[in-house]
Amino acid sequence: MPSPNRSLSGLWSLLAVSLVGILALGGGWWLGHRQSATQASADPKRTLLTKEATRLRLRLDADEATPADRQRLLELLVALDRKGEAVGLLEPMADREPERWSLRLMLAELRRDQGDSSGAERELRQILNLRPTQVEALQLLSLLNLEQGRGAAAEARVKAAYGMAIKPDVRPEALGIGLLLAELQLKRDQATTAAATYLQLANLFPQDQRPLLGLAMLRHDQGDTKGAQEALAQARLRSPDPDKPDPRLDKLAASWGLEPLRSPSAARPTPPAPASAPSRQTP
C-alpha cells in the first residue's frame, strides 16, 4: 500500500523537478496568481491595484477594452481574490477563443475554487472533447474525480488517453499522462500495475529520469530498499553526466539512508586527519 504521505500531488513534482519534493497540484499562470492573492491583500499597493481594476472595468463596460486590457483585468481580479468577477470576465473570453484551452482550464480552476465541481468538470470536458490528451486538463479532472470518490472513472479516462498517446506512435505528452496514470494506480492500491507503468515509460523514454524516480519512490514506500537503490542507480545513469553531483538525487538518496547511491563527490569520505593528530589508539 502506498505511503500515506504520497498523494496525487506528488506526481506533479515528477513532472516539474524530477521528483525532489512534493508540490501542490496546479500550474503556470493560474497557480502563481492564486499564490499572490494573499500577498496582494497585505500589500499597501492594493488600493492602486483596485483603482486600476476599476478603470479597466469601465473601459470594458464602455466596449473600449482591448484584448490586453481584458487580460490585465483578469490578472488583477484573480490577484485581488475577486473570483466571482473573474469568472464573469473569463467565460466570454474562453467562448470567443476556444483554441486557447488554457483560458478554459483557468475557468475550471476558478469554478472548483468556488465549490462548483460540476461546473469545473463541464469546462474540463470541453477541453478534452477537443484535446483528449491534454495533460493539464486530465490532471485537474482526475483530482476532481478523486475528491468525489470516483477514482475508477479517473483511471479509466487517463488510461484511454495514455493509449492514444503511445499508439501508433509515441507522442511527447505520453510521459506526463503515463506518470499521472501510475499515480492514480497507486492511489487505488495497484502498486504492481503502477510499477509496470513506470517500467513501460522508462522504456518509451530512455533518456528521462522521471519514470525511474517514480519507481524508486514506489519501491521505497513498499520498504524495498534494494529495489529503490536499483531504480535510483538507473536514474542516475540517465543524467547527462552521471559522475557529476546532482544535489536533488543526492538529497533523495540521503533522506532514504542510501548513502552509496549518492554521487562520488557527495559521498566522498572525510579526508584523514593530519599526521600530527592522534590516530585511533590500539589496546
Side-chain angles (χ1 to χ4, degrees), residues 1-258:
M1 181 177 297
S3 163
N5 292 328
R6 185 177 184 121
S7 65
L8 182 64
S9 62
L11 174 63
W12 317 148
S13 62
L14 276 171
L15 297 171
V17 292
S18 299
L19 199 61
V20 178
I22 304 301
L23 302 180
L25 175 73
W29 187 93
W30 169 234
L31 178 60
H33 284 274
R34 289 191 66 187
Q35 291 173 334
S36 68
T38 54
Q39 297 170 3
S41 64
D43 194 325
K45 295 182 180 179
R46 181 181 177 87
T47 301
L48 294 177
L49 296 177
T50 302
K51 288 182 178 179
E52 184 182 0
T54 301
R55 179 179 60 80
L56 290 172
R57 170 61 72 178
L58 290 173
R59 287 180 59 82
L60 182 67
D61 292 342
D63 200 24
E64 298 175 352
T66 66
D69 290 335
R70 294 174 188 274
Q71 182 70 31
R72 176 58 179 164
L73 178 57
L74 180 60
E75 294 174 4
L76 289 169
L77 293 175
V78 172
L80 293 168
D81 205 25
R82 290 158 57 176
K83 299 183 180 68
E85 293 178 67
V87 168
L89 176 62
L90 191 53
E91 280 180 316
M93 290 175 64
D95 290 339
R96 280 194 303 270
E97 303 180 73
E99 72 283 356
R100 290 183 63 189
W101 59 266
S102 58
L103 293 177
R104 199 160 296 282
L105 180 68
M106 195 187 311
L107 185 55
E109 261 286 16
L110 281 166
R111 292 194 187 283
R112 173 176 173 267
D113 200 60
Q114 293 188 303
D116 183 8
S117 296
S118 60
E121 185 167 341
R122 182 176 64 250
E123 304 296 348
L124 294 168
R125 288 185 181 279
Q126 288 192 55
I127 297 174
L128 293 171
N129 284 340
L130 297 175
R131 301 168 176 265
T133 60
Q134 184 59 57
V135 66
E136 291 87 351
L138 287 168
Q139 288 170 356
L140 185 53
L141 186 52
S142 295
L143 180 60
L144 282 169
N145 288 163
L146 288 174
E147 291 172 344
Q148 299 162 350
R150 297 162 56 198
E155 182 184 347
R157 182 182 298 105
V158 174
K159 188 173 183 179
Y162 180 59
M164 294 175 62
I166 63 174
K167 294 179 181 179
D169 299 311
V170 178
R171 289 149 59 177
E173 61 266 33
L175 178 59
I177 298 172
L179 291 173
L180 174 59
L181 176 60
E183 194 70 18
L184 287 169
Q185 290 165 341
L186 283 170
K187 291 290 290 183
R188 304 191 65 233
D189 296 330
Q190 300 173 21
T192 301
T193 305
T197 300
Y198 282 133
L199 287 170
Q200 183 182 37
L201 287 170
N203 289 327
L204 292 175
F205 297 90
Q207 305 302 318
D208 203 291
Q209 294 178 317
R210 286 169 287 183
L212 291 171
L213 290 169
L215 183 62
M217 271 190 72
L218 186 158
R219 297 302 188 209
H220 179 261
D221 289 347
Q222 292 178 317
D224 181 1
T225 300
K226 182 179 179 182
Q229 287 178 327
E230 292 174 350
L232 268 184
Q234 291 177 39
R236 187 178 292 285
L237 291 175
R238 295 189 174 194
S239 298
D241 185 352
D243 294 326
K244 184 178 180 180
D246 187 331
R248 300 169 301 173
L249 291 185
D250 291 340
K251 182 178 180 181
L252 189 61
S255 70
W256 290 353
L258 305 179

